Amino acid sequence: MSTTSDPAHSQRPVPSRNRFSRHSRPPRTNAGAVRRATAASALGNATEWFDYGVYAVATAYITMHFFPFEEGMLLTLATFAISFLVRPLGGLVWGPIGDRLGRKGVLALTILLMSGATFLIGVLPTFEQVGLLAPVLLIVLRMVQGFSTGGEYGGAATFMSEYAPDRRRGFFGSFLEFGTLGGFALGTAVMLLLETLLSPDQMSTWGWRLPFLLALPMGMIGFYLRSRLDETPVFQEMQEPDGGPGPGEPAATSGPAQTPEAPGLAELVRRHWRPMLVMAGLVIALNVVNYTLLSYMPTYLEQQIGLPATAGLIVILVGELAMMAVMPLTGGLSDRLGRKPSWYVSLGGIILLAIPTFLLMGVSFPLALVGFAVLGLLYVPQLSTITATFPAMFPTQARFAGFAITYNVATSLFGGTAALVNEWAIGQTGDLLFPAYYMIGACVVGLVCVWFMPETAGASLRGTEVPASVGSAVAPGSPAEAALEAGRQPEQRSLSDEQMLEMAAEVRDASATGRAGVAVDRTDVHPT
């Protein structure tokens, strides 16, 4: 291999091969398998977030029956936040299990835990019936939900990302978040329907329980669909001695076979602290916006702005449906334009328009619809690319744990507490724009982290390499290939051409011999 740095040489095109990356090959999965995996993942995610949606719009009833005290609303929102404090524990338990034993089994168990706990909330006795035992039982069930969610979301995102084709991971991954919004919207719609059909007395005595009871049949359907799926092809390949030959490929004949073990927590942090730190900052932006818009907004519109409960629910439902309508479009655009541009547009737009849209929401019901919809649509480019962005920051053997632990720790601190922080801050300051300030601050943190985030649109998730790193496999013509060949990835900023060429050669050699456990198109490996 020539590594000359002669300027004339470096300016000549190199049509036969990429310098700092190689081309990936098509996946083993067929279109039907991808569609089934997408449906099962999205439905499970919808079941998980159905509970959060119901709880968010039922805070008045929960306060009435479980926290009939002067600061009851704050206690209700604190109970909402408690489940998030348990999510890191769920990530610590479920993540390593998913990396060692597979993604499928974890997803089947977590959906049963989540839906069962939600159902039990619907049959709990009230404070009037059993006293303090009622809020204690509610808190315990919220903790069970948080523990299961610690594995559910990271597992579903990892599962979906490993099934999706490299070129269309943003599009297919967006349906996982379509399920998230679908769960929220369904919870809101059911509560709105009950508010319309039942009298206030019926709603406060037994009607509020009905949405929680729906979670059990939804969970059973999700469990059935997930139990019939195969393990992800990426995880299966990693378990094979040489990384698994593709169709028509010979098995590797040289080099020792290696199936890397999932790292422990200390090893995970030591090896991957940079992507974990970058992802944590992105999650702060993502979830402060998410839980302010989707969980706190019903309370904000009703108690702080004074909209009737039904009008507030209509605002949320219309906004969620608008977001769902554009979700696949923004996910597909990220496949062509890149994940980083999607995040820059979303974060920058929220920073500029958060305050004006909150001012609009305080004027009238029609303007509340407009303001919420604008914020929601600006948020979608982040939300629709979670599944495509975060799992691609880790190699296969550390993907589930890296995603689940990082996501859940950041979410527990800045996501589940968003409603509580907003309510408390408004009470202390009297400033109804505080949620807008909070979102802006979080998005500034996110903007900084996007600069350090690699472009992974089109990067292969197969094998043991870090996706979109120097020498890794990428889809031809993808944003990840363009970023690598132009030297724009964060790791390339401190490297010379000679260092990058040497790294790329080492990865190609490891891939050709099977030492890295990487499944590649061996026709793309050139002699050095």
Side-chain angles (χ1 to χ4, degrees):
M1 174 187 294
S2 172
T3 60
T4 178
S5 58
D6 176 64
H9 172 83
S10 62
Q11 292 174 6
R12 288 197 301 268
V14 187
S16 61
R17 51 169 287 185
N18 292 350
R19 300 178 73 209
F20 308 133
S21 65
R22 66 182 192 277
H23 288 169
S24 58
R25 60 178 171 79
R28 295 181 180 183
T29 53
N30 56 44
V34 174
R35 287 194 295 268
R36 289 191 295 272
T38 301
S41 300
L43 181 59
N45 217 37
T47 301
E48 174 191 352
W49 295 104
F50 174 79
D51 165 70
Y52 286 94
V54 169
Y55 193 100
V57 298
T59 52
Y61 300 108
I62 292 171
T63 300
M64 179 190 309
H65 291 296
F66 295 93
F67 302 102
F69 318 122
E70 183 177 352
E71 300 295 333
M73 180 55 70
L74 279 177
L75 291 172
T76 298
L77 295 176
T79 302
F80 181 82
I82 279 175
S83 70
F84 288 84
L85 300 180
V86 186
R87 285 180 64 160
L89 177 61
L92 286 168
V93 172
W94 297 115
I97 291 175
D99 281 329
R100 289 186 175 92
L101 304 181
R103 290 56 162 124
K104 174 184 170 182
V106 170
L107 290 178
L109 289 174
T110 55
I111 195 172
L112 288 181
L113 277 175
M114 186 71 186
S115 59
T118 305
F119 173 83
L120 290 176
I121 289 177
V123 298
L124 280 180
T126 64
F127 185 88
E128 184 180 359
Q129 293 170 324
V130 297
L132 285 175
L133 181 61
V136 169
L137 290 174
L138 176 64
I139 290 170
V140 169
L141 289 175
R142 290 293 299 166
M143 293 174 71
V144 172
Q145 290 174 327
F147 179 76
S148 64
T149 304
E152 161 64 34
Y153 190 68
T158 299
F159 190 85
M160 187 64 258
S161 68
E162 291 185 345
Y163 252 105
D166 295 338
R167 291 182 180 275
R168 305 194 70 196
R169 190 171 298 117
F171 173 76
F172 282 105
S174 69
F175 285 96
L176 188 67
E177 307 313 323
F178 187 93
T180 297
L181 285 178
F184 266 110
L186 181 60
T188 303
V190 170
M191 287 296 291
L192 179 60
L193 179 64
L194 292 173
E195 292 272 7
T196 303
L197 297 178
L198 302 179
S199 68
D201 182 63
Q202 290 173 321
M203 197 65 197
S204 64
T205 53
W206 54 269
W208 68 272
R209 296 180 181 272
L210 297 180
F212 291 95
L213 303 182
L214 287 176
L216 188 59
M218 289 175 63
M220 295 303 295
I221 294 171
F223 173 79
Y224 172 77
L225 292 175
R226 287 181 172 182
S227 64
R228 292 172 60 85
L229 293 172
D230 293 328
E231 187 55 80
T232 73
V234 172
F235 184 83
Q236 290 184 60
E237 286 180 1
M238 193 184 69
Q239 303 306 302
E240 297 173 7
D242 68 338
E249 290 180 339
T253 56
S254 61
Q258 294 184 3
T259 301
E261 295 184 359
L265 178 60
E267 186 72 3
L268 177 72
V269 174
R270 187 183 70 81
R271 290 187 179 183
H272 304 290
W273 66 268
R274 287 182 180 84
M276 293 176 79
L277 191 61
V278 170
M279 179 179 161
L282 297 172
V283 173
I284 289 172
L286 179 83
N287 277 329
V288 166
V289 176
N290 185 82
Y291 289 101
T292 297
L293 284 180
L294 302 183
S295 297
Y296 178 62
M297 197 56 70
T299 302
Y300 179 82
L301 293 174
E302 181 179 353
Q303 297 198 359
Q304 302 297 346
I305 292 181
L307 279 182
T310 302
L313 291 180
I314 291 174
V315 169
I316 304 300
L317 183 58
V318 170
E320 289 171 343
L321 292 175
M323 293 165 70
M324 291 173 68
V326 301
M327 188 78 68
L329 173 64
T330 56
L333 279 175
S334 77
D335 287 326
R336 296 195 294 273
L337 304 180
R339 318 295 184 221
K340 296 181 69 139
S342 297
W343 280 75
Y344 278 130
V345 168
S346 177
L347 294 167
I350 291 171
I351 289 171
L352 292 175
L353 295 178
I355 292 175
T357 51
F358 266 82
L359 289 172
L360 277 180
M361 286 189 281
V363 174
S364 65
F365 171 68
L367 291 179
L369 280 171
V370 173
F372 184 87
V374 169
L375 271 180
L377 293 174
L378 285 172
Y379 174 56
V380 165
Q382 293 178 59
L383 184 63
S384 63
T385 57
I386 292 175
T387 302
T389 302
F390 294 157
M393 298 173 76
F394 302 95
T396 303
Q397 68 275 15
R399 184 165 295 134
F400 197 150
F403 182 109
I405 293 171
T406 306
Y407 189 90
N408 287 306
V409 169
T411 300
S412 69
L413 296 175
F414 294 94
T417 59
L420 181 63
V421 168
N422 283 317
E423 182 77 2
W424 176 84
I426 291 174
Q428 293 295 308
T429 65
D431 190 346
L432 294 179
L433 291 178
F434 179 84
Y437 307 148
Y438 196 32
M439 289 167 60
I440 290 171
C443 287
V444 169
V445 173
L447 272 180
V448 174
C449 291
V450 173
W451 170 251
F452 295 100
M453 180 181 85
E455 178 54 73
T456 59
S460 175
L461 302 193
R462 308 169 84 170
T464 60
E465 302 165 336
V466 176
S469 59
V470 173
S472 64
V474 292
S478 65
E481 181 187 50
L484 277 169
E485 294 308 311
R488 295 197 306 266
Q489 298 288 42
E491 70 168 334
Q492 293 176 292
R493 293 171 188 157
S494 60
L495 298 175
S496 66
D497 275 15
E498 288 76 11
Q499 289 172 315
M500 285 188 280
L501 288 167
E502 183 178 354
M503 291 174 64
E506 290 175 355
V507 173
R508 285 192 178 95
D509 178 63
S511 303
T513 61
R515 293 199 308 274
V518 180
V520 301
D521 181 352
R522 288 174 175 82
T523 62
D524 188 58
V525 178
H526 294 257
T528 59

